[in-house]
Amino acid sequence: MLNSLFINHQDQKEALAIERRRRFEEARKQRIFNARRRVIGVDTDALGYQVQEKKELEQSEAEQRRKLAEEMRRQEHVLLLKQREQRQERIRLENEINRFRASNQQPEQSRDFDLFDPNGLKKSLPARLGDDDPRLTVSGAQKFDGEDLEERHRRKVQIEQQRSWLEQQIREKRQAEIDRRAAETFLEDALMSREARLHQLASQEQYARGKIQGAVNEFNRRLMDEQERQRTRRMREEQEDNLAEIYNNLTSDMLTENPDVAKSSFGPNRVITAQYKGMSPEDIERVRRTQEQQLEELKRKRQEEANTRESWDQLAIDFDRAVTMKERELTRRRHALAEQIRHENLQLSMDQQRKLDHLDKVVYQNRPTQAYFDQFNTCSR
């Protein structure tokens, strides 16, 4: 009976779950397959509901976090109090233990203290107190033949000697300190006397510099007077030299234009350019005849250049004519080649069209129907 009730309850739960999924799927189809709603707008009511749910969820989470933080603070406070109590209890126990150890567990009270006593060697007798010590047996290996029996006296003498050396070193250090202080005092006195001497020398140097400066100023004044006299004398001599030069230039062959001074000793047709004053009438006539000859030569060269230009112009015209004929021939060949390419392209187009017709009419006969496309987009998944 119980099993049958349990089974009926499970069946009802599964049926309700299936029905709930079916309703959810129908609602999803209405949202997804509605192109206008999917593309243009969204479900504002659903979004508002989601936003409200998100705010409520955030508020509940914030409240939980606040409660959790308060609980954590309370637990931390309790934990701190507990830790403080435990620390105080631990300190109290440690103090009790230390007091018990100090009063009842001293090292000297232990049974085996003599085994690890740090002052055991200090408290024990040495292995040999002297040569007449009754403990010096053969098996103790403390006394041998050939020992230094005067060791104590020798050590005492050495100690006295070291003490005398130390006293001597102390006296020497004291004497050295006295000498050092005396040297410092002597050095300070020497420095003070040196400073005084430097001040005296500085005053003497300043006085000597004043004397030297006065002598230099006097020498400069005399030198300036001498320079002024020399400048006046040079100006007077320069004026006299200028007047003499003016007179010599006025009476020279250059200003008088003497043609004989321009003749050179290297030949009758050569002149001295620095003293040449111009050409004679015979020279001018000779230059004019030379210019006329040059003019005739220039006219002849210009006629030859004109003839040469006419030849080049005729050659350029012939070259242009040949180029034009060549361009016409190339144009005819391009037209023929373009016609041939057009004919080949037309033939290729016809061949391609025949292949397409063959594919459409022979090869691609099994075309999909509307039923093939209707099987898609039937659910929202």
Side-chain angles (χ1 to χ4, degrees):
M1 184 65 180
L2 293 175
N3 292 333
S4 63
L5 291 175
F6 180 75
I7 293 171
N8 291 331
H9 182 67
Q10 289 294 115
D11 294 340
Q12 290 177 1
K13 288 179 63 177
E14 291 179 359
L16 290 174
I18 293 171
E19 183 64 25
R20 185 171 59 255
R21 286 197 297 270
R22 185 181 295 111
R23 286 197 304 270
F24 181 77
E25 182 65 23
E26 292 297 331
R28 182 180 174 85
K29 286 182 180 180
Q30 291 178 5
R31 292 196 306 271
I32 293 177
F33 294 149
N34 188 354
R36 181 180 180 83
R37 184 175 181 183
R38 186 178 67 250
V39 176
I40 297 175
V42 295
D43 189 358
T44 57
D45 297 336
L47 291 177
Y49 180 72
Q50 291 177 1
V51 171
Q52 185 65 25
E53 286 184 347
K54 186 175 181 180
K55 289 182 179 179
E56 293 177 357
L57 181 61
E58 289 178 353
Q59 291 177 0
S60 63
E61 290 179 353
E63 184 66 21
Q64 291 178 0
R65 287 195 296 271
R66 185 183 63 79
K67 292 180 180 180
L68 181 61
E70 291 179 356
E71 183 65 22
M72 290 179 62
R73 285 196 294 271
R74 187 183 64 81
Q75 291 180 1
E76 288 179 356
H77 181 67
V78 174
L79 183 60
L80 289 174
L81 293 177
K82 194 66 175 176
Q83 289 179 354
R84 189 178 302 168
E85 292 177 359
Q86 291 179 357
R87 185 167 57 254
Q88 292 176 357
E89 183 65 21
R90 187 169 57 252
I91 293 172
R92 187 184 63 79
L93 292 175
E94 290 178 355
N95 292 332
E96 291 292 336
I97 291 171
N98 292 330
R99 283 194 297 270
F100 179 78
R101 288 175 178 175
S103 60
N104 300 319
Q105 292 183 353
Q106 292 294 330
E108 294 81 1
Q109 297 175 0
S110 63
R111 183 182 59 184
D112 301 330
F113 178 72
D114 57 339
L115 299 178
F116 53 86
D117 187 6
N119 296 324
L121 296 177
K122 296 179 181 179
K123 295 177 181 179
S124 63
L125 295 175
R128 180 177 177 180
L129 295 177
D131 293 340
D132 54 353
D133 192 348
R135 296 178 301 161
L136 298 181
T137 60
V138 177
S139 61
Q142 294 294 325
K143 185 177 181 181
F144 301 96
D145 294 336
E147 285 185 320
D148 188 7
L149 300 179
E150 299 295 331
E151 181 182 2
R152 293 182 179 179
H153 178 69
R154 179 172 53 78
R155 287 185 179 275
K156 185 177 180 181
V157 172
Q158 290 177 354
I159 291 172
E160 292 294 333
Q161 188 177 7
Q162 289 178 359
R163 184 181 295 108
S164 63
W165 289 348
L166 290 175
E167 291 176 355
Q168 183 180 358
Q169 290 178 2
I170 291 171
R171 289 194 300 272
E172 290 177 356
K173 286 184 179 181
R174 289 178 180 175
Q175 186 63 33
E177 182 68 18
I178 294 171
D179 295 341
R180 184 183 64 79
R181 292 180 180 179
E184 290 180 354
T185 304
F186 177 76
L187 181 60
E188 289 177 358
D189 296 339
L191 290 175
M192 292 178 64
S193 61
R194 182 180 178 185
E195 290 290 336
R197 180 61 178 169
L198 287 175
H199 286 300
Q200 184 181 2
L201 291 176
S203 60
Q204 292 177 1
E205 182 181 2
Q206 186 175 4
Y207 176 76
R209 284 185 177 181
K211 288 290 186 181
I212 293 171
Q213 186 66 32
V216 170
N217 293 334
E218 181 66 21
F219 176 77
N220 290 334
R221 186 180 61 77
R222 293 179 181 178
L223 182 63
M224 185 175 63
D225 296 339
E226 181 66 23
Q227 290 177 354
E228 183 65 23
R229 288 194 297 272
Q230 291 181 1
R231 186 175 64 80
T232 304
R233 180 175 55 78
R234 283 198 300 270
M235 290 179 62
R236 184 174 62 255
E237 292 177 354
E238 186 177 358
Q239 290 178 358
E240 293 176 357
D241 293 339
N242 291 335
L243 292 175
E245 184 178 1
I246 291 171
Y247 177 76
N248 292 330
N249 288 330
L250 291 174
T251 58
S252 64
D253 293 335
M254 181 179 67
L255 295 180
T256 58
E257 296 185 356
N258 185 8
D260 296 333
V261 298
K263 294 181 180 180
S264 176
S265 60
F266 294 100
N269 296 326
R270 303 186 67 176
V271 295
I272 300 174
T273 57
Q275 299 178 0
Y276 185 65
K277 299 302 179 180
M279 294 186 297
S280 62
E282 293 81 5
D283 295 335
I284 294 173
E285 182 65 21
R286 185 166 57 253
V287 170
R288 187 182 61 78
R289 289 196 299 268
T290 303
Q291 289 177 350
E292 290 177 354
Q293 292 177 0
Q294 292 177 353
L295 184 60
E296 292 294 332
E297 183 68 20
L298 181 61
K299 289 181 179 179
R300 184 180 61 78
K301 288 183 178 181
R302 288 179 178 176
Q303 185 64 33
E304 292 179 355
E305 290 178 356
N307 295 334
T308 303
R309 283 197 299 272
E310 290 178 358
S311 300
W312 280 106
D313 292 341
Q314 186 63 33
L315 180 61
I317 291 170
D318 295 339
F319 182 75
D320 291 339
R321 187 181 296 109
V323 170
T324 303
M325 295 298 292
K326 192 67 175 178
E327 288 181 352
R328 290 177 181 176
E329 181 66 23
L330 291 174
T331 302
R332 284 195 297 270
R333 290 183 180 180
R334 283 198 297 271
H335 288 169
L337 181 60
E339 183 66 22
Q340 182 180 358
I341 292 172
R342 187 184 64 78
H343 183 268
E344 291 178 356
N345 289 336
L346 181 59
Q347 186 67 29
L348 291 174
S349 178
M350 293 173 64
D351 294 340
Q352 186 176 10
Q353 187 63 36
R354 284 195 298 272
K355 289 181 180 179
L356 292 176
D357 293 341
H358 176 71
L359 292 174
D360 291 338
K361 296 178 180 179
V362 178
V363 178
Y364 300 141
Q365 290 296 321
N366 188 14
R367 297 182 180 274
T369 61
Q370 186 63 30
Y372 174 76
F373 295 102
D374 292 340
Q375 65 180 340
F376 297 104
N377 201 17
T378 57
C379 65
S380 62
R381 301 295 178 182

